[in-house]
Amino acid sequence: MSELASPQLSWKENKTPVSDRFDDVYFSADDGIAESLYVFIHGCGMPEAFEGKNAFTVGETGFGTGLNFLLTWKEWREAKTDCQLHYISVEAFPLSKEELAQAYQTFEGLDEYGEEFLKHYPVNAAGFHHIVLDEGRVKLTLMFGEAAEMFAQVEGEVDAWYLDGFAPSKNPEMWRAEVFEQLGRLSKEGAIISTFTAAGFVKRGLQAVGFEMRKRNGYGRKRESLIGALKVSNKQLKNKWYFKPLKSFVKQKIAVIGGGIAGALTARRLLQDGHEVVIFERNDQAGLEGSGNRMGLIKPRVSLDRGFNIKAYLSAVSFYDNLDIDVWKGPRGIFELAKDSADVLRHKMVMEKNILPSSEIRHLSKEEASEMMGTEMQGGGLWFPNAGYVEPSNLCQALTSKMDIRTGVTITKISKQDDQWQLLSGEDIVFEGDAVVMATAGENAALNDYCDLAMRARRGQVSYVKATKQSEKLKYPLTGGGYLLPCVEGEHIIGATFEHWKDFFEKSYTEVTEVSHEKNREKLKTFFPDMEFEFICGRASMRAMTPDHNPIVGPIYSKDWYVKEYSAFMHGPRAKNFAPAEYVEGLYVICGLGARGMQTAPLLADVLSSYIAGTHCPVENRYREMLHPARSLMREIKKAKP
Ligand SMILES: Cc1cc2nc3c(=O)[nH]c(=O)nc-3n(C[C@H](O)[C@H](O)[C@H](O)COP(=O)(O)OP(=O)(O)OC[C@H]3O[C@@H](n4cnc5c(N)ncnc54)[C@H](O)[C@@H]3O)c2cc1C
């Protein structure tokens, strides 16, 4: 996720931002707000357009200062509507948070919106950033990158378009046929499109993709501008096997099985979306199994091919920063020691390739690291200033404390009667409703007959050790082939082992063993080679891993249907065009969060909620594919000979 270039900002008369890169203003120096309202918000029929809809999606080219977004959000809130607001916008040269804050000083009546938005404004990293506001009822997908490329990663249906890039003469890239093609592809029948320009080639380009365009009076000194609506649907069937047909949002009664971090955050998001949600957890409390550790690190795993990992990390940091629960424990910042020459090389490459934005990562020499960490380090490494640690078990309990959670209930069977799902616990029917989410980590096999979600059980033991005079000086978590946390009340946590286990249902894995303590002792030697630690006790639990180490998130598919329908599509000229996939309607999964679930769960819960709501997905299509429950099957199908 590399950093994008700056728009090179300067200020006209100290109040209007200008991009020197494009030699153009972000909004009219005369009255930017009135112009935005005229051209875009009212031009596209808001607030009346919200009426009678469950969700309304605005698409925008050129996020700029976010003025149009803030105004749309305000208009939406003042309309006091039940309709949810979704907003997809693209920006190739993002402003910094400080620049936005300065611009917002001149936005009259938008203070509270600007202030709230800035708390969520993402770091400068290419790709999608999903921002959830107004208790989940406003969702902004801010895409940092080139417009056609970014929109190509979206599947969705837009109700209204704001074309607000810099003027076509200054920024022709934004007004290319490839961008117009994407606008046509992503539009609902009847979608309104509005722009400040009256350029003839823009009119013709939009007509070519199905919009009926006309000129109307421009704002202020501008004589004319363009407005139109999609008359001819231009949708070519470019369906992918991992798409789920979009639908209008319908409030549903949903059961979430599992009160770990995946279940708790999914339930939270679904409640915010307006669904009725009940969680079933077999233990007496939430967060006692995989999510039951005392501490969990939120820290990126930096390697050269882990785009999703970095994305999930950035999303988690922003999510936990803005959560209404005090999540972070201890000071922020984590150090990753380069423990051998391979790490030194990897760290060098990571820094050279800008895997993370510069605000999120720094290289420290051995001396710098020792000073930062408060005690001598064995080498240099990477410093992540915004990383930190949370208490998984407490977090799950805090998240679910105000939810309808039925503890002590083991779900033994999921079945469908007509179009209603039933959950059984032994002989008892404990739930009847529209949808079920399995958030049961590795234990899906017993509940789901429709497809095979291959899982691997990987046991992990953490050890609690007594601090020594030197180790108690450690100020921040130290990682590198394991982790050591700063001491609390004289104890450190060192972890965690990674052990192959037979299967999830063989429960002796919770026993703390000497063999595993020994493995953790080895990790300690990497950090403090000459020091002996006294081991006090520990905790062991299970990670649910998938064969490719990526989580599984999405709708449950019917294996028989996929094999029958898609085998033929994998070969020959139609290989990229798939019939719309058939799913087991109302059954979903979020599992296999592996070794980083505390970090990936916030974004994964958003992905799952988008499938259930039938709206556009908050991550790029390539990540949807990577997370999709049918991906292993599709790999098998692709490998099969025609
Ligand atoms: C030792 C160790 C250290 C880790 N360290 C980190 C870390 O530092 N950072 C990080 O991000 N991640 C870490 N992880 C990974 C992280 O803890 C997991 O990815 C995450 O907790 C998985 O959450 P989950 O909700 O999917 O699973 P779980 O927390 O296991 O939740 C599943 C829930 O489903 C319930 N359940 C299952 N079947 C049923 C049923 N039939 N009926 C009712 N309830 C059911 C279970 O009781 C359980 O509560 C670590 C994991 C381990 C094991």
Side-chain angles (χ1 to χ4, degrees):
M1 297 184 79
S2 52
E3 265 178 75
L4 287 105
S6 153
Q8 297 163 1
L9 213 66
S10 60
W11 298 86
K12 199 168 154 187
E13 291 163 12
N14 248 349
K15 58 180 185 141
T16 311
V18 179
S19 165
D20 290 339
R21 178 181 291 276
F22 291 102
D23 183 26
D24 203 355
V25 287
Y26 277 91
F27 44 80
S28 149
D30 298 339
D31 190 351
I33 290 186
E35 179 168 9
S36 279
L37 285 170
Y38 171 80
V39 176
F40 300 116
I41 290 97
H42 299 156
C44 287
M46 280 160 259
E48 292 78 13
F50 299 134
E51 277 170 24
K53 295 200 176 68
N54 291 325
F56 189 87
T57 303
V58 175
E60 180 185 48
T61 58
F63 186 75
T65 60
L67 174 61
N68 295 333
F69 169 68
L70 299 182
L71 286 170
T72 308
W73 181 12
K74 182 172 188 238
E75 199 83 0
W76 169 87
R77 200 190 268 174
E78 287 175 355
K80 296 194 181 3
T81 168
D82 286 337
C83 172
Q84 299 198 358
L85 177 64
H86 297 174
Y87 200 101
I88 313 173
S89 187
V90 70
E91 178 56 61
F93 300 92
L95 276 76
S96 70
K97 203 181 233 186
E98 294 67 34
E99 290 166 338
L100 287 183
Q102 191 173 344
Y104 291 178
Q105 286 173 14
T106 63
F107 290 178
E108 259 175 54
L110 291 172
D111 288 359
E112 63 174 304
Y113 299 89
E115 208 176 293
E116 184 60 21
F117 173 62
L118 285 177
K119 288 188 204 154
H120 298 259
Y121 189 64
V123 294
N124 180 344
F128 288 20
H129 300 271
H130 190 58
I131 299 170
V132 180
L133 299 156
D134 243 306
E135 300 192 334
R137 301 187 58 235
V138 176
K139 290 179 183 151
L140 164 66
T141 305
L142 187 48
M143 308 180 293
F144 284 166
E146 193 279 317
E149 204 182 299
M150 290 291 112
F151 283 125
Q153 288 291 320
V154 180
E155 184 213 6
E157 292 207 315
V158 171
D159 295 276
W161 285 104
Y162 306 163
L163 304 198
D164 196 20
F166 291 117
S169 56
K170 314 259 182 184
N171 183 19
E173 280 288 293
M174 190 67 113
W175 306 86
R176 287 182 301 137
E178 288 82 352
V179 178
F180 296 153
E181 249 171 53
Q182 293 297 335
L183 306 187
R185 181 182 73 81
L186 291 168
S187 294
K188 248 185 202 163
E189 193 99 27
I192 308 287
I193 193 159
S194 188
T195 177
F196 58 86
T197 182
F201 84 94
V202 171
K203 185 177 176 190
R204 290 189 294 279
L206 292 170
Q207 283 167 337
V209 296
F211 288 97
E212 200 169 272
M213 302 301 298
R214 65 179 171 84
K215 284 186 179 163
R216 64 167 178 153
N217 290 339
Y219 183 81
R221 279 175 285 174
K222 287 195 187 107
R223 209 157 50 88
E224 291 175 320
S225 61
L226 289 171
I227 193 154
L230 190 82
K231 285 289 175 254
V232 185
S233 175
N234 195 37
K235 285 201 191 335
Q236 295 130 9
L237 186 65
K238 276 195 187 149
N239 197 62
K240 305 279 189 197
W241 59 264
Y242 52 88
F243 284 180
K244 182 168 191 286
L246 298 164
K247 56 175 192 199
S248 305
F249 177 85
V250 180
K251 181 179 163 171
Q252 299 177 53
K253 186 176 172 194
I254 303 173
V256 175
I257 313 174
I261 193 68
L265 287 179
T266 300
R268 180 178 182 278
R269 178 60 72 230
L270 295 175
L271 280 166
Q272 289 189 330
D273 283 353
H275 300 292
E276 189 185 329
V277 181
V278 48
I279 304 177
F280 292 92
E281 168 54 54
R282 64 184 167 197
N283 293 301
D284 292 339
Q285 277 185 312
L288 292 186
E289 301 220 0
S291 310
N293 281 331
R294 274 198 213 163
M295 295 293 172
L297 302 188
I298 307 299
K299 169 195 165 284
R301 178 170 188 269
V302 281
S303 62
L304 299 179
D305 58 352
R306 286 277 168 162
F308 184 75
N309 196 289
I310 302 280
K311 175 184 283 295
Y313 164 73
L314 294 174
S315 171
V317 168
S318 172
F319 174 81
Y320 290 131
D321 277 348
N322 286 293
L323 197 63
D324 50 359
I325 300 170
D326 188 12
V327 177
W328 299 106
K329 302 295 152 193
R332 297 287 283 280
I334 294 183
F335 177 62
E336 179 178 313
L337 173 74
K339 60 186 182 324
D340 52 29
S341 54
D343 278 354
V344 171
L345 190 64
R346 181 171 57 87
H347 287 181
K348 188 167 172 279
M349 304 265 282
V350 161
M351 293 308 291
E352 280 170 7
K353 299 233 171 205
N354 296 325
I355 301 289
L356 268 169
S358 52
S359 59
E360 303 301 309
I361 189 167
R362 243 175 77 198
H363 185 267
L364 299 182
S365 67
K366 180 177 178 200
E367 292 67 35
E368 288 168 331
S370 301
E371 193 177 336
M372 178 75 84
M373 298 297 281
T375 183
E376 193 188 347
M377 294 289 106
Q378 297 305 305
L382 299 178
W383 171 248
F384 303 96
N386 288 317
Y389 51 108
V390 301
E391 294 175 330
S393 187
N394 289 349
L395 176 58
C396 292
Q397 283 153 29
L399 283 166
T400 54
S401 64
K402 294 198 180 85
M403 295 181 193
D404 183 356
I405 175 165
R406 317 270 167 92
T407 52
V409 182
T410 302
I411 302 302
T412 48
K413 191 170 166 52
I414 302 177
S415 68
K416 199 166 193 186
Q417 303 293 324
D418 303 321
D419 59 351
Q420 287 283 290
W421 285 97
Q422 280 188 347
L423 296 187
L424 280 97
S425 181
E427 298 293 304
D428 301 331
I429 298 172
V430 292
F431 172 84
E432 281 181 303
D434 307 303
V436 173
V437 176
M438 294 184 288
T440 48
E443 296 183 39
N444 301 304
L447 297 174
N448 153 41
D449 298 333
Y450 299 96
C451 61
D452 174 26
L453 302 172
M455 287 287 170
R456 310 272 187 272
R458 297 291 179 262
R459 179 181 180 275
Q461 179 173 314
V462 291
S463 306
Y464 309 143
V465 300
K466 269 204 175 141
T468 67
K469 274 213 155 37
Q470 189 185 340
S471 75
E472 72 180 5
K473 293 183 194 150
L474 190 73
K475 288 194 202 155
Y476 302 96
L478 169 56
T479 67
Y483 57 81
L484 178 69
L485 297 185
C487 78
V488 177
E489 293 174 7
E491 277 181 26
H492 293 287
I493 300 176
I494 170 85
T497 63
F498 193 87
E499 301 163 51
H500 289 227
W501 196 254
K502 296 164 279 297
D503 85 75
F504 293 95
F505 298 92
E506 213 287 87
K507 294 288 177 189
S508 62
Y509 64 77
T510 55
E511 286 161 26
V512 173
T513 69
E514 267 314 308
V515 176
S516 302
H517 275 332
E518 213 36 57
K519 290 184 175 151
N520 284 334
R521 201 183 296 277
E522 283 307 306
K523 293 183 198 297
L524 272 172
K525 290 239 174 296
T526 317
F527 301 140
F528 296 110
D530 305 323
M531 223 177 283
E532 283 304 322
F533 285 89
E534 184 186 336
F535 278 58
I536 307 164
C537 56
R539 179 180 190 274
S541 52
M542 195 55 82
R543 303 178 187 88
M545 311 286 298
T546 60
D548 62 14
H549 290 203
N550 293 317
I552 295 180
V553 180
I556 289 290
Y557 63 96
S558 155
K559 181 173 177 182
D560 293 346
W561 188 92
Y562 259 65
V563 170
K564 186 164 139 278
E565 293 296 322
Y566 284 164
S567 297
F569 281 96
M570 298 311 300
H571 311 284
R574 290 187 299 165
K576 287 198 166 66
N577 213 350
F578 297 87
E582 199 169 284
Y583 293 100
V584 180
E585 194 52 46
L587 187 57
Y588 302 88
V589 66
I590 173 165
C591 69
L593 274 63
R596 304 218 160 222
M598 300 311 299
Q599 180 166 310
T600 52
L603 185 57
L604 298 178
D606 285 349
V607 171
L608 192 71
S609 95
S610 75
Y611 277 114
I612 296 177
T615 52
H616 75 270
C617 188
V619 296
E620 292 87 335
N621 278 337
R622 64 174 175 280
Y623 294 128
R624 290 178 76 183
E625 179 176 2
M626 191 192 91
L627 298 168
H628 196 278
R631 64 180 185 265
S632 302
L633 175 66
M634 290 305 283
R635 264 180 232 138
E636 276 173 36
I637 291 177
K638 277 181 192 169
K639 269 194 250 152
K641 290 266 177 295

